[in-house]
Amino acid sequence: MHNAFRAGLASTGWELGHFFSSLSWLFKDTPARREDFTALTGSSDFPLEHCQHRWVENVEEAERAYKECEWLLLQPDQSIEFLEERAEEEKRKNLKRKRNDQCEELEAMKGPKS
């Protein structure tokens, strides 16, 4: 039965197995992405692992993926705005860190205070 279901999905050309695997991999071992996703959606439900040979039993994984993708598709402006703000914030932090490092180097070059 599982192979019949898999073959039926393969005939559509949608590559759902690849999509589900990629979606779960996107948040695996990436705390920053998880934090961004939680801040953006208010949800801490992340994609579940997809079992390639148990298609009929992947209902929960498919429902979770649909819920997450639905929010991102329905809120594209808010998603883009959030990501742009996050990028600007990171840029400011990096510039501040770089400036602090340069100041420390200058202080070290001056030598000990007498």
Side-chain angles (χ1 to χ4, degrees), residues 84-95:
E84 287 172 348
E85 288 174 5
R86 189 70 165 198
E88 285 297 319
E89 182 180 320
E90 284 299 314
K91 192 184 294 184
R92 282 192 300 271
K93 283 181 184 178
N94 287 337
L95 288 174

Side-chain angles (χ1 to χ4, degrees), residues 5-39:
F5 195 76
R6 180 183 54 83
L9 282 175
S11 70
T12 65
W14 294 343
E15 298 186 24
L16 287 176
H18 181 68
F19 173 73
F20 291 142
S21 296
S22 297
L23 197 58
S24 65
W25 178 83
L26 187 64
F27 293 102
K28 184 177 178 135
D29 300 327
T30 54
R33 278 192 195 139
R34 287 177 169 258
E35 180 185 337
D36 288 346
F37 182 80
T38 302

